Amino acid sequence: EHESASVILADQNLRPGGHWTMAYPFVRLHQPSSNYGVNSLPLGKTRDSKGREREDANDRATAQEILEYYDKVKDQFLDSGRVRCIFNAEYHQAENGDHILSLLNSTVEGKI
């Protein structure tokens, strides 16, 4: 909606992927991959004759595939020039309204 907007993505994990960064390696999605991910980058591998993602109950990404997928999503966001990703960090708003980004396992903290 706002072409000039920029985003700072702060994540407590060391890399993109949320809880999948801590999942057992043998874990896979319980639903088709086509139901998961972000709209701009399909996760599912099954395509119809026109190349569109198609639901396939047997196409369920593994933890490693999901981590690789979210690395691609991160790269796509960074390539836009409008997103900065800061991992191993936590965001909070101070009582005075300042926006604070703290690096975890560090004494570094900065106002954003």
Side-chain angles (χ1 to χ4, degrees):
E1 289 183 26
H2 301 284
E3 293 180 15
S4 63
S6 60
V7 173
I8 296 175
L9 185 148
D11 193 320
Q12 295 177 347
N13 295 300
L14 296 174
R15 65 179 289 193
H19 73 279
W20 290 98
T21 63
M22 298 168 273
Y24 295 110
F26 59 83
V27 174
R28 63 175 54 237
L29 288 175
H30 289 83
Q31 61 182 336
S33 295
S34 60
N35 295 332
Y36 199 80
V38 299
N39 290 338
S40 61
L41 186 65
L43 172 61
K45 294 180 188 135
T46 307
R47 301 281 186 265
D48 65 15
S49 61
K50 295 182 180 180
R52 294 177 298 215
E53 189 175 33
R54 186 174 68 82
E55 186 169 322
D56 177 355
N58 296 313
D59 180 8
R60 296 180 299 121
T62 65
Q64 186 59 40
E65 289 171 328
I66 292 169
L67 292 174
E68 291 168 3
Y69 170 81
Y70 278 112
D71 277 332
K72 289 178 188 173
V73 170
K74 175 202 63 160
D75 291 342
Q76 183 175 297
F77 286 162
L78 293 175
D79 288 347
S80 76
R82 297 175 44 200
V83 178
R84 288 183 55 204
C85 296
I86 304 171
F87 294 95
N88 197 37
E90 188 172 67
Y91 164 82
H92 66 273
Q93 189 168 5
E95 288 183 24
N96 67 0
D98 287 347
H99 301 274
I100 307 295
L101 190 62
S102 304
L103 296 178
L104 301 176
N105 305 321
S106 174
T107 58
V108 176
E109 184 174 274
K111 188 165 110 175
I112 55 175

